[in-house]
Amino acid sequence: MANLSPGCIVSLGSLEPCMNEKTEQDLRHALGNARAETEALKSMLGKAADSLEDIVEANCSTEEQEKAIATARRLRRVIERTSGSGKVSASSGSVSS
């Protein structure tokens, strides 16, 4: 019979041991990596929005400027939805903490 840790629940018909400490540690590490990747992607989106706004200030038609600003606002809304900590400015589309 498999060695089970205290408090471990085994389904009927299964003698597999519960998640061991190594597996839990691996999962926590993977979760940390996923969170770090999410933060990096948010940062990249913010930089892309900033770049769009900078480009718009160059010699672009009014229509192209409006498209770029709208895209920058969409990028910032994505950041806001995934973090919940920032707020999008209604006038500029910028995120504040």
Side-chain angles (χ1 to χ4, degrees):
M1 187 179 251
N3 289 332
L4 302 176
S5 59
C8 185
I9 299 173
V10 178
S11 63
L12 293 175
S14 172
L15 295 178
E16 293 296 317
C18 287
M19 182 180 359
N20 61 30
E21 289 180 26
K22 175 72 171 142
T23 303
E24 184 176 349
Q25 181 180 12
D26 290 345
L27 290 173
R28 288 184 189 278
H29 182 75
L31 177 60
N33 286 344
R35 287 180 175 162
E37 184 177 339
T38 299
E39 290 304 313
L41 291 171
K42 287 180 199 176
S43 175
M44 290 172 62
L45 284 174
K47 289 177 184 178
D50 292 343
S51 294
L52 277 173
E53 290 173 341
D54 291 343
I55 291 169
V56 166
E57 294 173 4
N59 298 321
C60 292
S61 69
T62 303
E63 182 180 334
E64 291 301 315
Q65 289 178 356
E66 289 172 359
K67 286 180 185 178
I69 294 291
T71 300
R73 285 183 179 149
R74 281 194 303 275
L75 293 173
R76 293 185 193 286
R77 279 194 295 269
V78 168
I79 296 167
E80 179 186 300
R81 285 185 207 141
T82 58
S83 66
S85 62
K87 294 183 180 174
V88 175
S89 167
S91 59
S92 67
S94 62
V95 175
S96 63
S97 297

